[in-house]
Amino acid sequence: MTLSSKLSDPRLFRQYAYVDGKWTHGEGGREEAVFDPATGEALGHIPWLEAHQITAAVDAAEAAFVHWRALRADERCERLLAWYDLLQAHREDLATLMTLEQGKPLPDARGEVEYGASFVRWFAEEGKRTFGETIPSHIPNAALGTIKEPVGIAALITPWNFPLAMITRKAAAAMAAGCTVIVKPAGETPFSALALAELAERAGIPAGVFNVVLGEPAEVSKILCAEDRVKALSFTGSTRVGRLLLEQCANTVKRVSLELGGNAPFIVGPDMDPKEAAFAAVAAKFQTAGQDCLAADRILVHESIHDEFVEHFAERMAALTVGNGLESEIDLGPLIHRQAVEKAAAIVDDAISKGATLVAGDQSQAPGENFFMPVLLTDVTHDMKIWHEESFAPVAGITAYADDDQVIEMANDTEYGLAAYIYTHDIRRIWKIMRALEFGMVSVNSVKMTGPPVPFGGVKHSGLGREGGVTGIDEYLETKYYCLGALGSVSGS
Ligand code: NAD
């Protein structure tokens, strides 16, 4: 059965790049297969564009910028809201496409479509509120102020774990600001990006405003980073690639926003009900099979409730179902590819060899070669890979701690600084730990923390800038200061 036959609107499945409003073949004839990680079957093929075709996308975005920026903010808002409506109307197909190429269970994919669409609506509205300011003048007979202007073309490079929302969180902000965009999605999950392009076209977003380019990642990124006409680069992905892109953008002095890796601590205070906290930790760890920058990678539990917490965690984890995300009642789909499974196994082996205890996790039960059964390790320590590296897999590591000062030190003992969780009802402990944590986002007694109104982003090696919220659009705006002199004096001023 072909992929398009699984969709009620087969035209959402596109196997071309999308440049200047046209579905584009690769001129060099290079193609790459895209696989269903659950079955290993090829879902389709995508072209790899030649260097001059990437430059052509920049030409198209440059030409479209002239007209798109000249629209009134409310006109851009209307187009973006039409796009939002189409995302909602095609939610089921978008979710199916996503599960097929990414592997996450269908209910999670539906949730991501909803989440991704919500950024389009949010930024459609925020585009109407890019206010400048009036500055009380210190210069005689002058009026001073600022206006906000779009930076220009934005290149958006995105990962495979959230194939739709990581694009809309950037693209909607940029487009609402009046920028045109060139999206380079992950090669593992291009079809969600291309479905977004199809719906953008149907929403009346003009040719050249939203482009999707495909190709060898390092080559495409090098061209976009070196292009002087590309004024902003927004990247979500690993810290390793983020560093590389930051360097590549130095020559053209671009605006760079980076949403990079996380290694979230999940801190459980001594006052917590161990069962309640363990169930929350399972939810925070195993979303998207652990392939989530917000995954609770280091679970730090007060020694007085550690053993009970571990029991409840193991019990809850044992109830998780692993399988093809298209089937019903599945909690964890496959990992994205075989290398991810190998990396997860190596992280577990490393921890065990250095003294961690394997409480649960029998890989002989895995339903296919890209699947990894949830693993629970205790006695996890600082010298293990699992402490410092994102496992990006369903591998949970638990460590006991003695007091607040020790847990703060443990939690901050990482190069990452994206998100952290605290579970305790003691307000003084919450305040002390929350203030001391070196993370961009801290969630207290809640697994869910993201959404359009909040500033999403990290500190340390987890990134630069914030997405979403009232400041997310600023990543795509310049502030122009004006001084209107020689105005003459105004009585009463
Ligand atoms: P990745 O860095 O391997 O890839 C991200 C993007 O960069 C993809 O489009 C990929 O094709 C491209 N890329 C890969 N190698 C490149 C190179 N040498 N030069 C230029 N581009 C290159 O990341 P991934 O494996 O797709 O995603 C997982 C990572 O993303 C994790 O580290 C995760 O924490 C991070 N992430 C962060 C957030 C956040 O908001 N902070 C959200 C989701 C994922």
Side-chain angles (χ1 to χ4, degrees), residues 368-381:
E369 78 156 12
N370 288 346
F371 290 87
F372 200 78
M373 299 305 287
V375 170
L376 173 56
L377 296 164
T378 57
D379 306 309
V380 164
T381 50

Side-chain angles (χ1 to χ4, degrees), residues 157-162 166 169 184-188 215-222 235-242 244-245 248 258-262 291-294 336-337 390 392 416 418 441 456-458 462 467:
I157 302 179
T158 55
W160 48 261
N161 62 341
F162 289 91
M166 296 303 97
R169 198 166 72 178
K184 207 299 281 168
E188 292 86 347
E216 204 287 309
E219 281 174 25
V220 175
S221 306
K222 232 182 244 163
F235 171 76
T236 297
S238 61
T239 297
R240 180 185 69 81
V241 175
L244 212 71
L245 297 178
Q248 288 177 8
L258 301 174
E259 294 290 349
L260 308 177
Q291 303 170 112
D292 190 330
C293 54
L294 301 181
I336 191 70
H337 39 45
E390 280 184 295
F392 241 54
Y416 294 106
L418 186 60
M441 301 179 283
F456 188 106
S462 285
E467 292 191 331

Side-chain angles (χ1 to χ4, degrees), residues 255-279:
R255 201 60 96 73
V256 179
S257 317
L258 301 174
E259 294 290 349
L260 308 177
N263 185 10
F266 188 104
I267 299 170
V268 183
D271 59 303
M272 277 306 292
D273 168 15
K275 183 173 180 183
E276 181 191 337
F279 280 29

Side-chain angles (χ1 to χ4, degrees), residues 159-184:
W160 48 261
N161 62 341
F162 289 91
L164 190 139
M166 296 303 97
I167 295 177
T168 54
R169 198 166 72 178
K170 298 177 190 305
M175 288 155 68
C179 298
T180 53
V181 305
I182 301 171
V183 181
K184 207 299 281 168

